[in-house]
């Protein structure tokens, strides 16, 4: 079967030469017509992967409690912008809103803004958040965010991992960029001619840089500095920068070859939280954590909440808590980092 996105990438490579991995990732995930997210709802058992908010309502409920707490610490600003980046099916926001409806003044103050590129998922979000006043933006540069002086609380779960990365290879002290070209009738990885070193690493290996992720964090921090607020960033990743190839594709809950059938598999890279924190600090914002997702959720009281749901008749809670918090599941690979404008905010579950 032919793949229109593969044809398009192929044609671009023939015309312009090999493309960097970031360009490939951006097309595979975000091509307006054939990109992975723009053409499907990828979540759940029948889809390609399952995220924390799709595992259990507890996840979004506890994030809601986190947002309400940081809002109280900020002095209960009214109005404030509650932004979620990459909201998927809208489950996290729906659970977070339901869990916080009794917090006095909180919902009345919240302007809910969703940053989403996929028309398919926007429809899912609209349905999940029926009854709430929700606005959508395509990026942080949208006038709704850029021109507003309202304080901001931002949540992003498994969003940073979808932003394009580039890879550089150090071999015998010489650096090359890892690129996508065509070889033997198929898309294939190759190496660019020697380039100047992208970082100060002194050991051979593959090093990832994430310009799009850095741009996002820089823009987010600029916004936080101007108007005040905090962001909660949750993703799989590592706490210390280092060598390693973390680019991966997942399809029907299995790893798939990254370059095969572009647009039909989720492509992600682990988040270098060390690098993300450096970008935030350089932009004048405090970076707290990262904490392991297990420790974070336990600090927020996942045990108590699970017991409550069980008493109300929920049956598969233990299994869900295990998946979300156990070190062998999502508990430590997934990490939580908070970005805070100013020294006063104490993000729950994430120590400085
Ligand atoms: N947070 C959700 C979904 C994670 S999947 C959950 O935990 O279930 C990644 C989400 O980010 C999807 O909604 C996808 O469409 C969106 N997304 C990916 N790249 C984006 C970009 N550059 N701009 C806006 N949204 C993006």
């Amino acid at each position: 079967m032919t793949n229109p996105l593969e044809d398009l990438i192929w044609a671009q490579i023939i015309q312009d030469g090999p493309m960097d991995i970031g360009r490939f990732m951006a097309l595979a995930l975000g091509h307006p017509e054939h990109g992975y997210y723009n053409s499907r709802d990828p979540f759940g058992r029948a889809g390609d992967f399952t995220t924390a908010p799709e595992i259990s309502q507890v996840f979004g409920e506890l994030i809601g409690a986190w947002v309400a707490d940081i809002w109280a610490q900020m002095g209960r600003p009214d109005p404030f912008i509650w932004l979620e980046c990459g909201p998927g099916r809208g489950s996290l926001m729906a659970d977070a809103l339901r869990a916080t409806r009794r917090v006095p003044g909180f919902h009345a103050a919240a302007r809910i803004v969703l940053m989403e590129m996929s028309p398919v998922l926007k429809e899912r979000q609209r349905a999940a958040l029926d009854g709430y006043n929700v606005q959508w933006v395509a990026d942080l540069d949208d006038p709704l965010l850029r021109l507003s002086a309202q304080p901001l609380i931002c949540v992003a779960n498994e969003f940073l991992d979808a932003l394009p990365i580039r890879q550089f290879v150090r071999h015998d002290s010489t650096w090359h960029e890892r690129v996508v070209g065509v070889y033997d009738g198929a898309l294939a990885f190759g190496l660019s001619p020697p380039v100047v070193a992208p970082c100060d690493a002194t050991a051979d290996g593959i090093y990832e840089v994430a310009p799009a992720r850095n741009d996002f964090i820089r823009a987010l921090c600029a916004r936080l500095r101007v108007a005040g607020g905090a962001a909660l960033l949750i993703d799989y990743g590592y706490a210390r920068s280092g060598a390693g190839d973390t680019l991966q594709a997942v399809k029907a809950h299995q790893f798939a070859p990254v370059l095969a059938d572009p647009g039909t598999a989720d492509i992600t890279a682990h988040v270098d939280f060390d690098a993300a924190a450096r970008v935030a600090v350089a932009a004048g914002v405090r970076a707290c954590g990262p904490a392991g997702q297990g420790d974070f959720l336990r600090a927020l009281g996942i045990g108590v909440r699970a017991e409550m749901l069980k008493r109300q008749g929920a049956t598969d809670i233990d299994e869900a808590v295990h998946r979300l918090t156990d070190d062998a599941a999502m508990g430590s690979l997934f990490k939580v980092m908070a970005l805070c404008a100013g020294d006063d905010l104490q993000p729950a579950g994430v120590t400085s």
Side-chain angles (χ1 to χ4, degrees), residues 21-228:
I21 288 174
R23 174 94 188 115
F24 174 80
M25 218 174 146
L27 287 168
L29 294 178
H31 182 274
E33 196 181 341
H34 309 297
Y36 177 72
Y37 283 113
N38 290 328
S39 53
R40 76 198 64 227
D41 171 352
F43 305 101
R45 208 163 287 180
D48 293 315
F49 61 100
T50 305
T51 56
E54 303 302 330
I55 290 176
S56 168
Q57 67 185 73
V58 181
F59 188 78
E61 290 172 350
L62 294 174
I63 303 291
W66 187 93
V67 172
D69 175 67
I70 209 85
W71 174 72
Q73 291 187 42
M74 285 159 60
R76 298 186 160 74
D78 181 0
F80 77 100
I81 293 176
W82 183 350
L83 168 71
E84 184 179 358
C85 298
R89 284 180 167 173
S91 310
L92 188 159
M93 186 57 95
D95 293 333
L97 284 165
R98 197 185 54 254
T100 53
R101 65 180 182 271
R102 295 210 179 83
V103 179
F106 182 56
H107 280 201
R111 302 279 172 276
I112 301 165
V113 178
L114 304 179
M115 184 172 140
E116 177 57 68
M117 67 172 174
S118 160
V120 179
L121 292 175
K122 261 187 222 171
E123 281 319 305
R124 296 298 303 247
Q125 293 153 20
R126 200 187 302 281
L129 298 170
D130 190 31
Y132 293 101
N133 192 358
V134 178
Q135 289 172 287
W136 279 267
V137 296
D139 51 47
L140 291 175
D141 208 32
D142 190 287
L144 187 68
L145 297 170
R146 194 164 38 87
L147 302 178
S148 164
Q150 297 169 7
L152 174 73
I153 304 177
C154 170
V155 171
N157 184 60
E158 287 206 47
F159 170 72
L160 295 177
D161 67 359
L163 299 183
I165 60 146
R166 291 168 64 181
Q167 291 186 327
F168 291 88
V169 182
R170 185 186 192 275
H171 181 68
D172 287 344
S173 302
T174 303
W175 288 89
H176 305 266
E177 178 157 15
R178 209 161 167 239
V179 292
V180 180
V182 294
Y183 181 74
D184 226 4
L187 295 178
F189 285 115
L191 294 179
S192 75
V195 294
V196 289
C199 63
D200 58 7
T202 51
D204 281 355
I206 295 183
Y207 294 83
E208 297 180 341
V209 294
R213 201 183 283 154
N214 294 343
D215 284 347
F216 169 79
I217 291 171
R218 236 173 259 124
L220 179 62
C221 290
R223 185 66 184 61
L224 290 173
R225 263 176 62 96
V226 170

Side-chain angles (χ1 to χ4, degrees), residues 283-323:
V285 165
R286 251 171 79 221
C288 305
Q293 177 171 293
D295 288 338
F296 172 75
L297 293 175
R298 279 187 288 271
L300 261 60
I302 194 170
V304 178
R305 181 68 192 135
E307 284 310 315
M308 222 150 96
L309 288 170
K310 273 200 272 186
R311 276 202 300 277
Q312 291 166 7
T315 49
D316 43 10
I317 292 294
D318 288 335
E319 154 81 12
V321 170
H322 182 267
R323 280 180 75 182

Side-chain angles (χ1 to χ4, degrees), residues 50-52 157-158 161 234-237 273 291-294 324 329-336:
T50 305
T51 56
N157 184 60
E158 287 206 47
D161 67 359
I234 309 169
D235 235 300
Y236 48 173
F273 281 99
Q293 177 171 293
L324 292 171
M330 298 172 80
S332 56
L333 177 58
F334 278 74
K335 295 183 173 56
V336 185

